[in-house]
Amino acid sequence: SLSGMTLPLSPKVGPSIHIVSRQSLLSLPDSETASPLRDKNPARRHNLFHSVSWLTAAGLFGLLSIIVAFFSVFMLLANLLSERALLAELNHKVVYYDEVLTMSTLVAVYSGDLSWEERYLEAATNLDTTLLAIYSQLPEELTKSIRLNTDQANQDLVAMETEAFELVHVGNLTGAQTLMNCPHYKALKRKYAVGMEPMAAWLGEAVGNAKAFALEILVGFFSLISCVILLVSWLGFRSIRKFQHQIAEEKQQSAELLLNILPAHIIPHMSTLVQDRSSIVQEHNDASVAFIDIVNYTKMSTVIPVVKMFQLLHELICRYDLLCEDFGIIKIKTIGDCYMICTGMKKGERNPAHTMFRFLEACFDSLERFNNSHGFLYEQKWRVRAGVHCGLVVSGVLGTKKFCFDIFGNTVNRAARLESTGQPGRIHCSQEFKDSLDDFEAPLEYHSEMVVLKGQGEFLTYFVKRQSPGGQLELQIL
């Protein structure tokens, strides 16, 4: 559920997105969280328990009395209504089977599809069985009158419809259609319908009388039921408020979990994926993709215990996750010890390359604080390298079970190659990303050189040096 979030219903995502933290739900004022059961005044607490006990006992007694009385009335009314309801249902079946007979004949006559003959025969058998069941319940005089007016017409209709099917069997569709449209057939249908009207009228009157009698009996219970409802409502009011708080917290937890799996701008489209099983695909023409990888991670894993290594990696990834929230960066995934992020996928996002550059700078600063806090654990100083490229990417959600959000395109491949050919402590970028930084707020210095990227070819790439103490950024080539 997303009711705990203020997310727009359209794909547009901007600074207006606001996620309510669970702490804000739990930090309610004392008046909201304080319970009378925690009252330190013994007399007041005793009066509360005394009142609740009496009200609970009275409510249970009243509820039990109403249940017994209602059960008795229900048994009485059930015996009265069950027979009438059965007759009404049988009457509906008569109308239904009669319509099936007519429709099956007409469809077979006009389409030549003889498979409808089986449906016709089945409906005819069901109609005869239903009529016999109704006649056994009606008054004898009424049954005789109805059969006198309908039996002959019904037999004539069956004979004409059987003849129509025989014409269809020999391929004479024109003759069958003429037979079904003749005035005699239509007159028989009208005569049969008129003959069945007394049965429908008698059933309707019987059911109506039973309902009126049931209504008169039930009216006497309204006041008693209302009192019990009020009493139970009062007793359950506090429980309902507690449940509401629990539901709100559960919704918030669900919303936070969903946002940890998918970006906010994808969530409004999830109903399309789940209900229609159609794909969610979006193009982003000015996206910046970056990979951050830990240098010599495999070698360090042989020195540092596995559990400790995992804990350290988790701490570093959490630091990067917090930076993603601060800079509005979309985290795509972690691939082992490699951290993959992207900018430029939100509508209205300005200067995604600038945002990515600032984020990568912050990641290197955070790594320095990480190393200082652990004091070169096991004589291993953690270092990372980064590769970044900008261009067209395609984003989407894969699958409907344990679905995964991911991005694709040559931009992603180029960024991965730039990371793999990078150097520890440096940001390896492409010419396109460097051009996007031309209007950066700080001056840039760089040197160019051609570098061969595996599977990509020879490109002009740059190593971006972090901001120097003099306040300038330097772009250098390896």
Side-chain angles (χ1 to χ4, degrees):
S1 173
L2 302 180
S3 60
M5 304 182 297
T6 56
L7 287 176
L9 296 179
S10 64
K12 181 177 181 181
V13 178
S16 61
I17 298 178
H18 176 61
I19 309 300
V20 181
S21 65
R22 279 191 287 175
Q23 293 181 353
S24 64
L25 292 175
L26 299 177
S27 58
L28 298 174
D30 294 339
S31 59
E32 296 290 334
T33 58
S35 172
L37 300 179
R38 301 193 187 102
D39 198 330
K40 296 182 179 180
N41 189 320
R44 197 156 50 205
R45 189 167 54 200
H46 173 75
N47 291 335
L48 174 64
F49 280 114
H50 183 74
S51 301
V52 171
S53 300
W54 274 104
L55 287 172
T56 304
L60 292 176
F61 178 76
L63 182 61
L64 181 61
S65 301
I66 288 181
I67 291 175
V68 173
F70 187 80
F71 180 75
S72 301
V73 173
F74 174 78
M75 294 300 295
L76 176 65
L77 296 178
N79 293 331
L80 177 64
L81 294 177
S82 60
E83 184 177 335
R84 304 307 181 190
L86 177 61
L87 291 176
E89 181 181 358
L90 293 175
N91 183 49
H92 289 307
K93 288 184 177 180
V94 168
V95 176
Y96 170 73
Y97 291 138
D98 183 62
E99 291 178 352
V100 172
L101 291 174
T102 303
M103 181 186 69
S104 301
T105 307
L106 292 176
V107 172
V109 164
Y110 282 94
S111 66
D113 186 0
L114 291 175
S115 64
W116 286 91
E117 187 176 7
E118 296 180 3
R119 303 182 187 181
Y120 174 86
L121 296 175
E122 181 182 357
T125 302
N126 292 333
L127 179 61
D128 293 339
T129 303
T130 305
L131 285 175
L132 291 176
I134 293 178
Y135 292 154
S136 65
Q137 301 294 329
L138 293 179
E140 184 177 355
E141 293 298 326
L142 180 60
T143 300
K144 291 180 179 180
S145 175
I146 293 174
R147 299 197 66 169
L148 180 64
N149 295 327
T150 60
D151 281 357
Q152 186 61 45
N154 185 38
Q155 294 175 5
D156 295 341
L157 287 172
V158 171
M160 295 185 69
E161 290 165 351
T162 303
E163 183 181 353
F165 275 110
E166 292 176 354
L167 292 174
V168 174
H169 273 282
V170 299
N172 188 4
L173 296 181
T174 303
Q177 294 170 8
T178 303
L179 184 62
M180 289 292 96
N181 290 319
C182 68
H184 181 57
Y185 179 79
K186 295 180 179 179
L188 288 175
K189 293 291 289 185
R190 286 193 297 270
K191 181 179 179 180
Y192 180 78
V194 171
M196 297 298 290
E197 287 178 356
M199 181 181 70
W202 185 88
L203 292 174
E205 183 180 357
V207 174
N209 293 337
K211 290 182 178 179
F213 179 67
L215 182 61
E216 292 176 359
I217 295 177
L218 292 177
V219 166
F221 290 92
F222 282 171
S223 58
L224 182 60
I225 293 176
S226 299
C227 294
V228 173
I229 290 176
L230 290 175
L231 179 61
V232 173
S233 299
W234 184 86
L235 294 175
F237 177 72
R238 300 185 65 84
S239 297
I240 292 175
R241 290 191 63 188
K242 180 181 178 180
F243 294 153
Q244 288 175 340
H245 284 296
Q246 292 177 350
I247 291 173
E249 185 174 353
E250 291 295 331
K251 287 182 177 180
Q252 180 62 26
Q253 292 175 356
S254 300
E256 291 177 357
L257 178 61
L258 190 59
L259 281 175
N260 278 329
I261 300 174
L262 299 173
H265 71 278
I266 291 293
I267 293 176
H269 303 283
M270 284 304 297
S271 60
T272 303
L273 176 68
V274 176
Q275 296 175 6
D276 303 336
R277 294 183 178 271
S278 58
S279 59
I280 300 177
V281 181
Q282 295 180 349
E283 287 189 355
H284 314 278
N285 295 318
D286 190 22
S288 295
V289 181
F291 289 84
I292 305 175
D293 186 65
I294 300 175
V295 180
N296 293 329
Y297 178 81
T298 304
K299 181 179 180 180
M300 289 192 299
S301 299
T302 63
V303 179
I304 304 175
V306 177
V307 175
K308 184 63 178 179
M309 191 68 175
F310 182 86
Q311 293 173 345
L312 293 173
L313 180 61
H314 173 71
E315 179 183 343
L316 183 61
I317 294 299
C318 289
R319 286 173 176 264
Y320 290 167
D321 289 344
L322 292 175
L323 291 176
C324 284
E325 294 182 6
D326 294 339
F327 286 88
I329 303 287
I330 294 180
K331 174 186 175 182
I332 306 301
K333 58 185 174 182
T334 56
I335 311 169
D337 62 310
C338 187
Y339 195 81
M340 181 180 178
I341 57 275
C342 184
T343 59
M345 292 195 296
K346 301 177 183 178
K347 285 192 174 181
E349 186 174 358
R350 296 182 178 180
N351 298 324
H354 294 189
T355 304
M356 179 63 78
F357 184 76
R358 297 189 191 95
F359 169 78
L360 294 176
E361 280 194 309
C363 287
F364 279 92
D365 292 337
S366 180
L367 179 62
E368 287 295 327
R369 292 190 294 271
F370 171 83
N371 284 322
N372 294 334
S373 65
H374 290 285
F376 302 104
L377 188 66
Y378 298 96
E379 299 182 356
Q380 297 290 329
K381 181 178 179 181
W382 287 45
R383 297 180 300 170
V384 298
R385 59 174 178 257
V388 57
H389 180 52
C390 60
L392 172 68
V393 299
V394 174
S395 67
V397 178
L398 298 176
T400 56
K401 300 294 184 181
K402 296 183 180 180
F403 43 78
C404 172
F405 175 81
D406 210 341
I407 58 176
F408 307 88
N410 188 58
T411 301
V412 180
N413 300 332
R414 183 84 61 85
R417 294 304 182 190
L418 287 167
E419 177 274 316
S420 63
T421 56
Q423 286 187 351
R426 287 187 169 185
I427 304 170
H428 198 190
C429 71
S430 63
Q431 176 70 50
E432 291 80 0
F433 186 80
K434 177 262 175 186
D435 293 340
S436 299
L437 294 177
D438 284 345
D439 57 345
F440 197 72
E441 59 265 20
L444 303 177
E445 296 180 3
Y446 58 91
H447 301 282
S448 61
E449 183 176 319
M450 303 302 294
V451 175
V452 177
L453 302 178
K454 182 179 179 181
Q456 298 285 322
E458 192 176 26
F459 294 95
L460 189 64
T461 62
Y462 303 89
F463 282 93
V464 182
K465 194 173 183 180
R466 296 176 61 189
Q467 190 168 6
S468 63
Q472 290 186 343
L473 299 176
E474 186 179 354
L475 284 172
Q476 294 182 340
I477 194 71
L478 179 64

